[in-house]
Amino acid sequence: MFADSEGPRGLTRRSMLGGVVGAGLLEVLASGASADREAMAATLPAGTAAILPPGTAAPRPRIYTRREWKATPPRHPATVLDRAPTRIIVHHTEWPNSADETLAHAFRISREIQELHMDSNGWDDIGQQFTISRGGFVMEGRNRSLRAVHDGRLAVGAQVLHHNGHTIGIENEGTYMKAAVPGRLWSSLVEVCAWLCEAYGLDPARAIVGHRDYNDTDCPGDVLYARLPELRDAVAARLNGSPPPAQADGGPPEDGGPVPEHDQGAEHSPSPGHHPDTEPGTGAGDGPAPRASHLDHGHPSGQEFSEPTRRP
């Protein structure tokens, strides 16, 4: 779903996304970005902090950066639009439901998704903006996504055919046609959605939708899709000051994590004559390999601000 100048590639269906920020101060890391990683944003200098507007009710999910999960540098920096998204798209990877809930596994699936999108599909980078593992770990996906959210902008991804120019995607590891959603994943999904709604001023009752609401796909699975009304309610409750959802099985720490200080190598709006991220997804998604069964992304042309066709 991204925008590559070489035109359509044969694909099938999708995969995608991590973020940071919350109330108060954000913990930051000291590091720089090398020239060959121009779209891998540098972190804030040591001793500095990023601050959200006072009084925010948004949670502070720990979002692991691309640098932390050792992402491959993108071929080109993502286009960053000077506007907020209108919808948060919930996905599932349609990969096997792994019992490995470690951080190492979470980092590994991010790298595998990126490898699929870049090497098999020929895209500039991983498609989704954020990824959540079954263990509840949240990772930044498409380059520039984390900083864009912090700035109230949208780093254009490749996760919803014809609607990438106004949506932000969260890829949830696993297949949820019949299987239950793990508690840790669910808790992180609530926290990330609440953070995004706070950052962009979105109403969860309208903003949170499933991939199938826009495209002809089973994503995010019947079970997860049926829980979207519950997700909207949980996010609304968090924005109203309710505590995070209970995690009987524990989960990753909510310590914020680093936020990129700035983006390098690209402007905040598309250059003249360049359509934002035109890596189109054209496959029907019926390939036998789990990792190729959910890749319905496309460029942000078409009905960009239309309502979803259906939703629970």
Side-chain angles (χ1 to χ4, degrees), residues 229-283:
E230 179 186 351
L231 178 61
R232 297 178 191 116
D233 290 344
V235 170
R238 288 294 285 133
L239 295 176
N240 287 328
S242 295
Q247 288 189 350
D249 56 354
E254 295 181 6
D255 60 357
V259 175
E261 181 183 29
H262 62 277
D263 296 307
Q264 300 177 344
E267 298 299 323
H268 284 298
S269 58
S271 58
H274 173 67
H275 201 291
D277 282 348
T278 53
E279 296 154 329
T282 56

Side-chain angles (χ1 to χ4, degrees), residues 62-95:
R62 172 53 158 112
I63 298 172
Y64 292 88
T65 65
R66 292 167 58 87
R67 188 180 302 279
E68 289 178 293
W69 59 265
K70 295 180 171 55
T72 297
R75 294 189 178 95
H76 304 286
T79 295
V80 178
L81 304 178
D82 288 319
R83 64 177 184 236
T86 63
R87 297 290 186 272
I88 299 169
I89 310 296
V90 177
H91 301 271
H92 70 169
T93 62
E94 208 170 350
W95 289 14

